[in-house]
Amino acid sequence: MNSGKKDDRGTIVIEMCIIMPIVITVIFVVINMMIVQLNNGIATGEAYHVVCNRERYMSGSGNSAEDTLNQALDQMVRPSMQLLDELETSVRFRPSGNALLSGITGTIDAVIKYEELHPGIGLLTDKKATQRKVKIEKEIRDISNNLRRWQLYGKTL
């Protein structure tokens, strides 16, 4: 005669029905945020590497400097990044007008535009992809005319 006694069988199932979707959502969000940061780090690092080591990529190539750097950047970024839908890379050299006054001969820009897919997060939002852009800009200086420490206006000390 157990008619008045309540048991707790089945309560764990009800608790897991409430808790597990929250836990799974948090895991998906954490994984996606790690992929976003990984892709951003790869894009920034490779763009910085190509811009700072541009002489190595430009030597010995018959193409223009911008084409060679753009191909090198694309070949370095494309296999490394995860969950991409679209990828566009561009490297541009802008000469400076006042190179004699400032010593700056120009600026080199590396731009990486990509669209990231977000698996699992698309269930929560309408957007299944996010567009991102990484831009690195560096001044190119002509330091060949600068005086060294041991030089004084043409006289060697």
Side-chain angles (χ1 to χ4, degrees):
M1 302 261 172
N2 295 341
S3 62
K5 183 181 171 192
K6 293 185 178 181
D7 60 354
D8 59 351
R9 287 183 290 164
T11 57
I12 191 73
V13 174
I14 295 172
E15 289 173 4
M16 287 299 115
C17 288
I18 295 170
I19 294 173
M20 286 314 289
I22 296 170
V23 170
I24 291 171
T25 303
V26 168
I27 290 172
F28 268 119
V29 168
V30 167
I31 290 172
N32 279 302
M33 293 306 292
M34 287 186 339
I35 291 173
V36 165
Q37 291 303 316
L38 178 72
N39 284 342
N40 188 25
I42 289 171
T44 304
E46 298 298 349
Y48 185 74
H49 178 74
V50 167
V51 166
C52 290
N53 298 318
R54 64 190 174 282
E55 292 88 5
R56 188 175 86 184
Y57 295 106
M58 291 187 305
S59 63
S61 65
N63 299 339
S64 70
E66 289 180 359
D67 291 340
T68 304
L69 291 174
N70 195 15
Q71 289 173 359
L73 184 60
D74 191 54
Q75 289 173 358
M76 289 168 56
V77 170
R78 194 170 293 277
S80 301
M81 296 180 74
Q82 307 293 320
L83 298 173
L84 290 184
D85 191 23
E86 295 179 14
L87 176 67
E88 179 184 333
T89 60
S90 66
V91 178
R92 190 176 70 169
F93 177 73
R94 293 180 291 150
S96 176
N98 56 359
L100 292 175
L101 298 175
S102 65
I104 299 172
T105 58
T107 307
I108 188 166
D109 298 330
V111 179
I112 301 174
K113 295 178 186 175
Y114 58 96
E115 190 169 299
E116 274 181 324
L117 300 174
H118 301 296
I121 300 299
L123 300 172
L124 301 174
T125 63
D126 292 336
K127 294 179 9 178
K128 301 209 185 301
T130 305
Q131 293 181 351
R132 302 204 183 273
K133 178 179 175 182
V134 173
K135 181 177 180 181
I136 302 294
E137 184 176 319
K138 184 178 180 190
E139 291 180 346
I140 300 172
R141 295 181 173 268
D142 182 16
I143 59 169
S144 61
N145 294 328
N146 292 355
L147 294 175
R148 301 330 188 259
R149 283 186 288 177
W150 62 88
Q151 294 174 331
L152 182 62
Y153 298 105
K155 297 180 182 177
T156 304
L157 299 178

